[in-house]
Amino acid sequence: MNWLWAIVVGLILGVIARAILPGKQAIPLWLTCVYGILGSILGNAVAGWIGVRHTEGFDWIRHLLQLAGAVVIVALGTPLWHSIRGGGRRHGAERT
């Protein structure tokens, strides 16, 4: 059941991260989910490093760090996805 929870949370974090970033991130939904999962892992690692991974009550700081991690991963991963895919012109560029 943990893997299902990771997919759901990853999808939610990835979609929120895409909404926060300016412009359009033309990546597939499955990659949004993967980026969200990776961002969650990154946020949990940072929370552990600064000592806020396990707190009483709702872990607002940890969840914000997970979202920040997802934003970073989506921001860095989207151009990487486009460079790997090759697909001609980049989104947002005008035809000449």
Side-chain angles (χ1 to χ4, degrees):
M1 199 64 167
N2 287 336
W3 59 271
L4 182 61
W5 186 246
I7 291 171
V8 170
V9 170
L11 180 61
I12 292 169
L13 285 174
V15 168
I16 293 172
R18 285 179 63 176
I20 289 172
L21 289 169
K24 181 177 180 180
Q25 293 75 38
I27 56 176
L29 190 59
W30 67 266
L31 191 58
T32 300
C33 184
V34 169
Y35 285 169
I37 291 169
L38 292 175
S40 177
I41 292 169
L42 177 64
N44 280 337
V46 171
W49 293 333
I50 65 173
V52 294
R53 184 174 179 140
H54 300 291
T55 59
E56 292 187 26
F58 196 73
D59 295 332
W60 287 106
I61 296 172
R62 183 172 56 97
H63 295 306
L64 289 175
L65 288 170
Q66 289 174 338
L67 179 58
V71 169
V72 168
I73 298 293
V74 169
L76 296 176
T78 300
L80 180 63
W81 169 256
H82 291 295
S83 69
I84 290 171
R85 292 287 296 184
R89 70 181 184 100
R90 294 172 58 116
H91 288 276
E94 295 183 22
R95 290 184 185 225
T96 54

